[in-house]
Amino acid sequence: MASVQSLGIHKPSALPFLVSEGILPLNPPESAYRWQTLSVKSSSGGFIEEELLTTEYCVVWSRAGVIERVFRFDIEKEPITQAAFTHFANPSKDEVHSDNGTFQGDDPPAVALPAELQVRKVRTKGNDTRPRNEPSDSKKAGGTLKAKSDLPPKLSRALVVVLKSQVRVFFLSHTNHSIPLPVEVESIFPSYYGILFQPKLQTQQAPEPTPIIPPPPQNTFVSSQSSNANPAQSFASSHTALPSDNPRGWASPLASLLEELQSKPKAQDSPQIFCLLDPLAKIGRVVTKQDARSISKPFSQLHPADRLLYISPHSEIDRQDEHGLQSNPLVLAVTVNEEENNISLHALTYLNQSPENGRTGRASKRFGRTSSRRRSSFASRLSTGATTPVARSFPQASADTALEDFRSKEQESLFESIFDAPGASTKASRRVSSLLARSDLGSSQDRATFGDLTSDRHTKSGRREPSFGTRISQMSRDQGLAGFGGRSKPLSDIRSSLDSVTLQELPTTESFDHLDDIREIKALDDPGPVLADQGLRPDIVFQKLFSISYSTIGRSVPSGPADRATLQTFVLQAPGPDLADSSGASVLILCVMNRKLGELIFFHIKATPSKRAQRAGAPGSPNADNYHFKVSANRRSGVLDALKLSDGTVDRILVLDKSGNSLTLQAPWTALRKIELPNPLIFHDRYSMHSDESPKQRREGGLKRVISEGTKGLSLLEQTTLLGRVDVVDLRGTRHRIEVQLQPSDPLVSHMMRSCQAVLPASDVYGESILRHWWDVMHWLSGQDHEKADKEWNAMVIVLFSMAVNFINDWPRETTARQRRRKGGLLRSSSGANTNFDSWDEMMRIESGPSSMVPSWMDTQPWKWMRNEKITTPVSSQGSKSSKKEPETPAVPMPDSNSHILELIASAREFLKSPQGQAAVSNQGYSAIATTRDPDLRRTALASILVTLHLLREELKLEILSARYVHQLTPILAQLGTWLGWANWSCHDSCFYILENADMQSWAFDESIIAGLDIPGEPFAPPSILQFFESKISNETTSAFPTLVDVVGAPDNESEVLRRYGSSILSSLTPRTYLINSLLSGNETQPIHGRIAQMAKLGLDLSLLETLPEGIAASFRMAMAACQSEASSTWGSQLLRFVSREDLATLKRTDSKSKKRGGLSAFASPQAVRDVQTICKQALEVETPVAYDGSADIDRQSITRLLFRQDQRFGEAAKLVHPLHYPVAQCNTEPGWSEIDMLEAQQELAKVVAMRTLSVCLGRGLLFYNARLPLLTDKIPVHGFTLSCVMKPTDTTVTADRAVFTEEKVSWAFFHAGVEAGLSISREAQGIESSWIFFNKPRDLTNRHAGFLLGLGLNGHLKSVPKWVTYKYLTPKHNMTSVGLLLGLSASHLGDMNVLVLKLLSVHLTCMLPYGSADLNLSPLAQTCGMMGIGLLYCKTQHRRMSEIMLSEMEKVDIEDSSNPVDPLRDEGYRLAAGFGLGYINLGMGKDLKGLRDMHLTERLLNLAISTKRLGESQIADKATAGATMAVAIIFMKTDDRTLARKIDVPETVHQFDYVRPDHFLLRTLAKQLIMWSNIRPDHEWITSQMPSALRHKAVSNIRYLTSEDLPFFNILTALCLSIGLRFAGSGSLEVRDILCSYLDNFIRICRLSALNYDQKLARITVRNCQDVVALSAACVMAGTGDLVILRRLRLLHGRNDPETPYGSHLATHFAIGALFIGGGTCTFGTSNLATASLLCAFYPLFPTSVLDNKSHLQAFRHFWVLATERRCLVPRDIDTMSPLSVPIVVVTTTQPSSSSYDDDPTANPQQLHMTAPCLLPPSPPSPRST
């Protein structure tokens, strides 16, 4: 020990707080609370002291004397049993670790650290020079310079609080869990990860009477078997006598039930210790390993009398898998047995879980039951309080996300059998009803039977309690039988079910399900009896290593946390394995202290790594099979108390002898050392941050108050931490806190000590000679009145010098020791050292320190000027003027030389004369130069230390922050080199050290040479790492730089594994040298990016690069700069960040954190700042917005602002499609109108404007598509519509009649509003699952929510919806909900042929129901959706059966009956859906129909599309014509089949036009052009050439009046424009836009022509429809570009408010506006087969005439444009703020950018496009067969 310091009287830091809060009384006794002190590791490398104080209903966590959090459980009204910290698998992917004093962590993530981390952060441990629980910072091959925490990064620290009936787990990220306890817990034990529970022993209760089973009725076969005492055996034996098809016999579940009812688990089969390894998993049990010869039953329960005493809270083996001998940690446990009077030592194996996955493993399958998480219903009486979150009806924004993922998976597997999935039995299907009822069981669990298993049942008689009555009474509980509809089932009913089963009739499956349900519910309500077989899985295995008798134990077995204090257990690890030991064994000392008996038991454990592969445990989890153990034990009596004292990585046993007056530090590998307590002890800790007194109580005395009486004997040792602190309790019960220093606090001294211990030969016992030597010197200096400053450094130098001065014979006489300072003067500090504040030389000596001649502050420019300034001192003369020159003296007196080295040499000689020095070097000494040591060790020890410290100095030269340490080491090394007689290492002029440090000229050295030893000669000149680096980059041939591995060498008999381990230890001392050596010694022909990858692999990162010397860092930076331009996105994220290409690394991220950061930066941009007037105006608004404005999304808004930064076009478009802004209209008055007439006219105009408002949602859905990442705790608002209108010029607000616009009458408008809300949710949004959807579900199903479901499905968010959720929605038979859900599910499962969705669609299609099925009263709209859903579900599968169904539904001819009304089902919309469905199934497969050729698919479709029909079938055929035409177009899309295109084309003669419906001209022409895809050209000549010969003379610009004879011309022309729009969708071609705009202008002009008669009005309707289609076509080409040319025309169309404009025309206009700004300009349309088919379905050129019109085309299909969207927006972002930027870019494309050539020729010459990002990239060239 180096020193002992008093820290005052120790009290809990949270005690004043509890007193002030009234939780504890003033001056509370220690029995009123429990507290423990512990140390945790921080990211800075040190340790932080924490306290955990527990009262009856409160837990307070303090850190460094500051209260962090307070947990109160007053509302629970359950006393706290125990609280402890442990680690669990991280429940959240975004868990953050930090040690900034918050509640977020103590396990910092792996961070790159500079080389000084080895100097300032790590502490020694014998030959194992790495710190405890910290891996080395380099590897032999591919090592890294990363300091990792002692736990895997996926483990999170949590506070576990045990109440009477539940366990509360509080993660440090503020996530908490409540876990019900089936039995009362006595104590808990934190383990490596997870926690173990020791159940509380219960008192013996009188056994309940066992009811007698009534005998069976007379005259039955069962009654004749009276000889059988066991009815279960009777039933089983009688049944197996039957002939059966099963040769193995039939095991009756009735018999097994009776056996369970009549038997109770044996005591040895019930678990005694339980474990919880994951708060989201079920509680597991702890078992013990059987004999290896037992194959059938490898595990068994622990002995019933075993009580857990200790379990390792962390790995007892410190080396980690990537650096050590073993890959897994070692966890030990100690149990005490009262009956056998012994203490047993166990090694633990974790079976089912590992800290990496935290879930299940392979071993779970070996026990007949897969490991699963705890069910969500397995919770009892979740209390709420101040610190407990109140249960809500929607999921919390916490780590419950992981639980939600589990629930969805569990429900998916659980309900797979409900809907008769393939392969599922009827039994599994019927069992689910009982499983679903478990949600009511969690709040009323019965723990009676479970308590029986853990009670003290071991009586003398050994008689077990009867359990039949207990089980039957349990089964009769109402809550226990919730699975049977909530009714209780008495025993008589069970017996009657038994009687009903005879030998002639097997029990039905229902009866089996009945009994299985009982077992399932029984296992949940009463887990006790099930634990022995299948209730709890074994998670931890105890493997007994050793047992020692404890005959004097009596009845002192601990029964709780308080009693367990009598038996204290702790573990010490030997400083490190002997590097000469080829086995690489680790030595552990486990101690058990019995305070009552005054006995200390030692377990000496030698753990040798085994070569057997790991079997049971998962990688990274503890496994006892990885070691071979040798254990021995001994005792020591006469010990009053003992505990483990640790200071960093140095461990000792602090022993208080029986007298209570002597404290000693002991360890099996070192000598005993006595501790003297400071005298006097202080009263207050002057460094404490908390007040020991309450606010109302004044402090007695000052902070320097001391205890004059001292201690009158000690009685107890408690509260030890890793900081060397411990409480010594005197006989009065006062806790005195002392701090024992066991290792240096100076980082350089610590690094030197670890380096010297590492290179000393293996004969040095455990490598602690340097540490013991340093302790003795520190103790000697304390008695020499040595100043406190630099005491540790001086002690280390004296240790080194004392190894040499004893062998110097010709010691110079003139060398004297340092002068004693005069007594008196002022006290510099409380240490008692006196300093002469009047002496300039004394100040200079103290301020300069041991490494320099002058203080560091004198190196500044002003002080340098003063040091060089000379002043003249006048000379006094009594006579005449003297001719002598006046002398000049320095302005600042400077010392002539530094004699610090000589003073330390003198101190070393004095130390050797002291008793401590003599003990070190005597015959029995521990020093390396002791006379009894090996001669080779004595002669080489000092030389090895010199070379080692030199290499350490070269390591420090690679750290610019360690320059002071380099100067501090230089004179010491020069002196040692001089003594050794090595010329190049000495202090002479022109030697290495003198040349490297200019100040060395002023140092005074001893130039003697060691003569008493045969010192080895100089091996080589002092190597310089900087010179080595210079030679390497100059391509000079040099050998590798020497390392500590070369200094130590390796024995010939050393194993390869141990050799690697030793190399990793030595390399960790000089990690930067190892890095430079590895980089420069590699393959010189390696390419530059290979070198960069090697640099990143070795751990060279930017933070380390900043601390390298500038000359070395510059070379690395040049290589990184040269590699930046060659970086590839295929590189790892770490490598990309290393070369400063964070832009590419960001692209590899899949989360949305960067977007959120970008949003925040965009919000703070100057453009987003609003003035005070605007903010106050919004605050005073009365109306609360109920709809979410997509433009409020900050990140999307910032991108959209950059895309359309030149004007306000996006804001104008958003205003046009806003459903809540009051539109403006002008009502022109007529002469003679009265005020009433004016009001009526305004009312009519308001109705027309309201109808237009109802149509905006379709366009608004495109505008704000994929824009929102919702919070899971907020509901998504679905807006309504405004019916008000501002009338000009009076500016009056007129509201339309609300009775006309109720939600039932305009249901599809609200449906579209819901779709808009669903589509606004991003595809990347997380957590959109069944629970969140149910959270947004209204009480009664509405049209808005129905559309919301469709929007979610189109974005793919319904793919994980469980089956029972779909039935919850479909059961009420809400038509709109059925439409939205069926289409949404089909879109989410596009093309995957999901069986569940197929079943749901099948029950909504009468054509797929079995013949003779009952009428299900299905809505025609739902059946239409079913047809389309089948097509989406089987998209591109060419499924024959589904193709036949679609085709048959189009061909089906209903027999008209005058007595029955016309069937509303198979109307044109239904058959059109069948046609689209058939097209989706065979999408683009016209040339390869495979198994459909024998169906004559093409001929049958053409027959429906173009053939002449009979008179009776014409009406039915006309309904199927559109569907057949669309099916042909989609199936043969892009096939260029000229024959088929010619057949599907319109007739050539005017006479044949009379046999074709006008709108069919449009469909057939469009079908032809889609087939001849590659022939489409955007020019007038091509359009004219595609006209029939009879219409080529017509020109749309020449039409001056309306007539129905032009209807074929209008429709054909519109079809050609639509085909151009689909062909060039999303291309942004200006030439195509101009062509389409010219035809759009003509249609707008023609539509304004007067229509006076019916024929003209009919023509105007067609022209208006053509106008809408052409507008959509133009917007499709410019999708996402926000083109102003088209926007002006669309705004003109939006302004129509005449009553003749139907709802469908407004719908098409707003659809085009949304397409123009789709996704806020970040998306566009594609031209793949699926995209073209979806756009064709969405743009279908027949629009509804009213809101409820679905006759020709279902309005829900208009949203299929989502399937055609592409995200081609390139967004450059600032890598620091992640905010979008505007950057000019050059895009190189292989296709022609102009419109002169429309063939996408992949062989075309690359073209360069100069664009400004953010922008939409040009479409990529299509593949030969685009899909």
Side-chain angles (χ1 to χ4, degrees), residues 282-581:
K282 296 179 180 178
I283 294 178
R285 59 190 173 113
V286 177
V287 297
T288 183
K289 190 174 183 180
Q290 290 280 58
D291 190 1
R293 294 170 293 181
S294 178
I295 301 177
S296 60
K297 191 176 182 182
F299 303 118
S300 64
Q301 300 295 339
L302 292 174
H303 192 281
D306 281 343
R307 311 298 293 170
L308 192 59
L309 183 61
Y310 169 81
I311 188 169
S312 304
H314 52 76
S315 173
E316 303 293 357
I317 301 295
D318 301 328
R319 296 185 296 274
Q320 301 295 326
D321 53 355
E322 60 262 48
H323 300 291
L325 296 173
Q326 61 279 339
S327 60
N328 285 341
L330 173 63
V331 176
L332 301 176
V334 179
T335 59
V336 59
N337 191 299
E338 179 185 7
E339 292 184 355
E340 300 179 355
N341 289 332
N342 60 20
I343 293 180
S344 300
L345 176 65
H346 309 264
L348 271 63
T349 296
Y350 283 62
L351 289 177
N352 294 355
Q353 303 191 12
S354 65
E356 282 77 7
N357 51 36
R359 302 297 175 255
T360 60
R362 295 174 298 175
S364 60
K365 300 179 181 179
R366 297 166 49 191
F367 302 95
R369 188 183 183 99
T370 56
S371 173
S372 60
R373 286 199 189 176
R374 174 170 48 87
R375 290 186 176 90
S376 58
S377 60
F378 194 69
S380 63
R381 301 185 300 277
L382 293 180
S383 304
T384 58
T387 61
T388 306
V390 180
R392 302 171 68 180
S393 59
F394 51 90
Q396 303 277 345
S398 66
D400 292 338
T401 304
L403 178 61
E404 191 65 32
D405 296 338
F406 159 74
R407 288 175 179 169
S408 62
K409 295 178 181 178
E410 184 186 52
Q411 291 166 349
E412 182 176 354
S413 60
L414 181 64
F415 294 97
E416 185 66 33
S417 57
I418 297 182
F419 309 107
D420 297 333
S425 62
T426 57
K427 171 184 175 180
S429 302
R430 278 187 286 266
R431 286 185 56 194
V432 180
S433 61
S434 63
L435 298 178
L436 286 175
R438 289 178 175 171
S439 58
D440 300 328
L441 302 177
S443 60
S444 59
Q445 295 181 9
D446 180 30
R447 301 185 300 273
T449 310
F450 195 99
D452 295 340
L453 294 175
T454 58
S455 62
D456 192 5
R457 64 185 72 82
H458 312 292
T459 60
K460 295 181 180 180
S461 62
R463 179 179 179 271
R464 295 199 306 266
E465 301 176 15
S467 59
F468 185 80
T470 304
R471 296 293 298 269
I472 294 298
S473 61
Q474 178 201 354
M475 291 168 56
S476 62
R477 298 189 182 99
D478 292 341
Q479 65 271 23
L481 297 177
F484 307 109
R487 295 178 298 163
S488 172
K489 192 171 186 65
L491 179 62
S492 58
D493 293 345
I494 299 177
R495 187 174 61 84
S496 62
S497 63
L498 299 181
D499 297 338
S500 62
V501 179
T502 65
L503 292 176
Q504 308 302 326
E505 179 183 1
L506 295 179
T508 62
T509 308
E510 286 79 359
S511 63
F512 294 167
D513 302 336
H514 194 68
L515 300 176
D516 290 338
D517 293 339
I518 294 177
R519 291 194 183 96
E520 292 288 347
I521 299 173
K522 166 176 62 62
L524 204 61
D525 266 351
D526 186 15
V530 191
L531 297 177
D533 47 18
Q534 62 179 358
L536 295 181
R537 67 181 185 273
D539 279 345
I540 297 179
V541 178
F542 276 29
Q543 179 179 344
K544 183 179 291 188
L545 304 179
F546 192 83
S547 293
I548 184 173
S549 62
Y550 204 22
S551 58
T552 58
I553 188 172
R555 292 291 176 178
S556 61
V557 176
S559 59
D563 296 337
R564 199 170 67 245
T566 61
L567 290 176
Q568 293 289 332
T569 306
F570 49 89
V571 180
L572 284 79
Q573 183 181 359
D578 193 349
L579 292 182
D581 184 5

Side-chain angles (χ1 to χ4, degrees), residues 74 219 334 378 406 750 903 914 951 1202 1245 1437 1653 1731 1783:
D74 306 83
N219 302 325
V334 179
F378 194 69
F406 159 74
S750 178
E903 294 177 359
S914 65
L951 296 180
L1202 292 176
L1245 182 58
T1437 63
N1653 52 35
V1783 177

Side-chain angles (χ1 to χ4, degrees), residues 1723-1737:
C1723 301
T1724 186
F1725 292 135
T1727 57
S1728 64
N1729 286 351
L1730 178 61
T1732 303
S1734 301
L1735 288 177
L1736 180 61
C1737 186

Side-chain angles (χ1 to χ4, degrees), residues 999-1261:
D999 294 338
M1000 293 288 293
Q1001 298 288 347
S1002 304
W1003 283 75
F1005 294 97
D1006 175 31
E1007 299 183 3
S1008 303
I1009 298 178
I1010 295 177
L1013 286 176
D1014 183 14
I1015 300 297
E1018 180 179 349
F1020 43 78
S1024 173
I1025 188 65
L1026 299 180
Q1027 185 179 358
F1028 169 76
F1029 185 84
E1030 181 182 1
S1031 301
K1032 278 294 183 179
I1033 62 176
S1034 302
N1035 296 326
E1036 297 181 6
T1037 304
T1038 57
S1039 58
F1041 190 81
T1043 61
L1044 293 180
V1045 179
D1046 304 321
V1047 176
V1048 175
D1052 297 335
N1053 61 345
E1054 186 179 28
S1055 63
E1056 181 64 24
V1057 177
L1058 193 63
R1059 184 179 295 108
R1060 289 198 303 266
Y1061 169 67
S1063 299
S1064 66
I1065 292 177
L1066 298 173
S1067 300
S1068 65
L1069 296 172
T1070 56
R1072 298 191 175 214
T1073 304
Y1074 172 79
L1075 185 145
I1076 299 295
N1077 211 357
S1078 301
L1079 287 177
L1080 300 183
S1081 300
N1083 186 10
E1084 298 181 358
T1085 61
Q1086 191 176 13
I1088 182 64
H1089 63 272
R1091 292 290 185 94
I1092 295 296
Q1094 185 183 9
M1095 291 164 58
K1097 182 180 179 181
L1098 292 173
L1100 181 63
D1101 55 7
L1102 297 179
S1103 60
L1104 190 148
L1105 199 62
E1106 292 176 355
T1107 58
L1108 286 175
E1110 196 64 31
I1112 297 178
S1115 300
F1116 291 140
R1117 293 184 187 276
M1118 290 176 60
M1120 293 165 56
C1123 195
Q1124 282 183 353
S1125 59
E1126 301 178 5
S1128 172
S1129 58
T1130 58
W1131 294 3
S1133 301
Q1134 181 182 3
L1135 185 58
L1136 290 173
R1137 286 191 293 268
F1138 181 67
V1139 296
S1140 300
R1141 289 303 304 269
E1142 291 88 350
D1143 53 337
L1144 295 179
T1146 305
L1147 297 178
K1148 301 174 71 67
R1149 301 175 185 172
T1150 57
D1151 54 8
S1152 58
K1153 294 180 180 180
S1154 59
K1155 296 182 180 180
K1156 295 178 181 178
R1157 293 197 299 269
L1160 292 177
S1161 61
F1163 182 79
S1165 61
Q1167 300 178 6
V1169 177
R1170 296 172 294 179
D1171 55 8
V1172 177
Q1173 183 179 2
T1174 305
I1175 298 175
C1176 295
K1177 182 179 179 181
Q1178 292 184 356
L1180 295 176
E1181 288 182 354
V1182 179
E1183 181 183 1
T1184 302
V1186 296
Y1188 170 74
D1189 189 358
S1191 61
D1193 181 83
I1194 302 175
D1195 189 63
R1196 171 66 67 81
Q1197 185 182 15
S1198 59
I1199 298 174
T1200 304
R1201 185 185 300 116
L1202 292 176
L1203 284 168
F1204 310 111
R1205 55 188 174 276
Q1206 294 148 356
D1207 46 42
Q1208 297 295 323
R1209 66 182 75 180
F1210 181 79
E1212 178 66 19
K1215 182 179 179 181
L1216 294 178
V1217 296
H1218 204 293
L1220 298 178
H1221 287 175
Y1222 287 179
V1224 178
Q1226 183 173 0
C1227 183
N1228 298 322
T1229 60
E1230 297 292 338
W1233 276 10
S1234 62
E1235 186 175 350
I1236 297 178
D1237 297 335
M1238 182 66 178
L1239 181 59
E1240 291 178 353
Q1242 291 179 349
Q1243 286 282 352
E1244 292 297 326
L1245 182 58
K1247 289 182 181 180
V1248 174
V1249 176
M1251 185 63 65
R1252 183 185 68 184
T1253 304
L1254 295 177
S1255 64
V1256 301
C1257 293
L1258 187 61
R1260 186 174 174 83

Side-chain angles (χ1 to χ4, degrees), residues 1240-1297:
E1240 291 178 353
Q1242 291 179 349
Q1243 286 282 352
E1244 292 297 326
L1245 182 58
K1247 289 182 181 180
V1248 174
V1249 176
M1251 185 63 65
R1252 183 185 68 184
T1253 304
L1254 295 177
S1255 64
V1256 301
C1257 293
L1258 187 61
R1260 186 174 174 83
L1262 284 96
L1263 200 69
F1264 301 121
Y1265 167 67
N1266 203 37
R1268 188 176 189 186
L1269 296 173
L1271 294 176
L1272 299 183
T1273 55
D1274 292 348
K1275 287 188 175 182
I1276 295 296
V1278 181
H1279 61 76
F1281 302 89
T1282 179
L1283 301 179
S1284 300
C1285 180
V1286 178
M1287 293 296 174
K1288 294 294 184 178
T1290 59
D1291 285 340
T1292 58
T1293 302
V1294 179
T1295 303
D1297 187 5

Side-chain angles (χ1 to χ4, degrees), residues 1617-1630:
C1617 292
L1618 181 57
S1619 64
I1620 293 175
L1622 295 176
R1623 172 64 176 81
F1624 298 96
S1627 64
S1629 174
L1630 299 181

